[in-house]
Amino acid sequence: KDELKHNDLCETCGNAGELICCSTCRLVFHLGCTRPKLKDFPADDWSCPFCIASGDVVKNASKQEQQSAHLAVREIGGLKEVVRKKEYSRRKSPRKRRRPSC
């Protein structure tokens, strides 16, 4: 089996750091950025909410797990939008210029 080449940045916040890798796709997350939030790294393989919600990759997921994953995907989407808006406003805000001291 070919090993997945995972992304370098968290899918939710776009930052690097200590990331958990999905076993079934390229996505990575900080423990606190995935939904539901994880407190510890799983000992076994872990599939992200996107893979569980799709129903294509994780075949043994129950309907309840898929529904929870759909909610998690929506929540992650909302978090990504908040991060994107913060980054946009940070870039757009005028930079304070230092006046030369005379």
Side-chain angles (χ1 to χ4, degrees):
K1 181 179 172 181
D2 294 332
E3 192 166 325
L4 286 173
K5 168 86 173 92
H6 285 94
N7 298 340
D8 295 326
L9 303 175
C10 176
E11 179 64 18
T12 305
C13 72
N15 292 318
E18 194 171 3
L19 302 165
I20 181 172
C21 299
C22 178
S23 300
T24 49
C25 75
R26 298 178 50 152
L27 300 181
V28 297
F29 299 84
H30 294 105
L31 290 178
C33 286
T34 189
R35 295 296 184 263
K37 290 181 181 181
L38 298 174
K39 293 180 181 178
D40 297 306
F41 285 90
D44 298 322
D45 287 346
W46 174 82
S47 291
C48 73
F50 292 91
C51 289
I52 295 171
S54 74
D56 294 334
V57 180
V58 182
K59 300 287 186 195
N60 60 348
S62 69
K63 286 289 183 194
Q64 184 177 5
E65 287 174 314
Q66 282 186 322
Q67 288 173 341
S68 294
H70 280 288
L71 292 174
V73 167
R74 281 203 303 254
E75 189 174 347
I76 289 169
L79 292 170
K80 286 171 68 170
E81 185 65 18
V82 168
V83 169
R84 189 190 65 74
K85 285 181 180 178
K86 282 182 182 177
E87 181 64 22
Y88 177 77
S89 66
R90 185 186 67 77
R91 288 182 183 172
K92 195 166 178 153
S93 66
R95 305 224 187 271
K96 294 182 180 178
R97 294 184 180 172
R98 297 177 76 188
R99 293 186 179 171
S101 55
C102 299

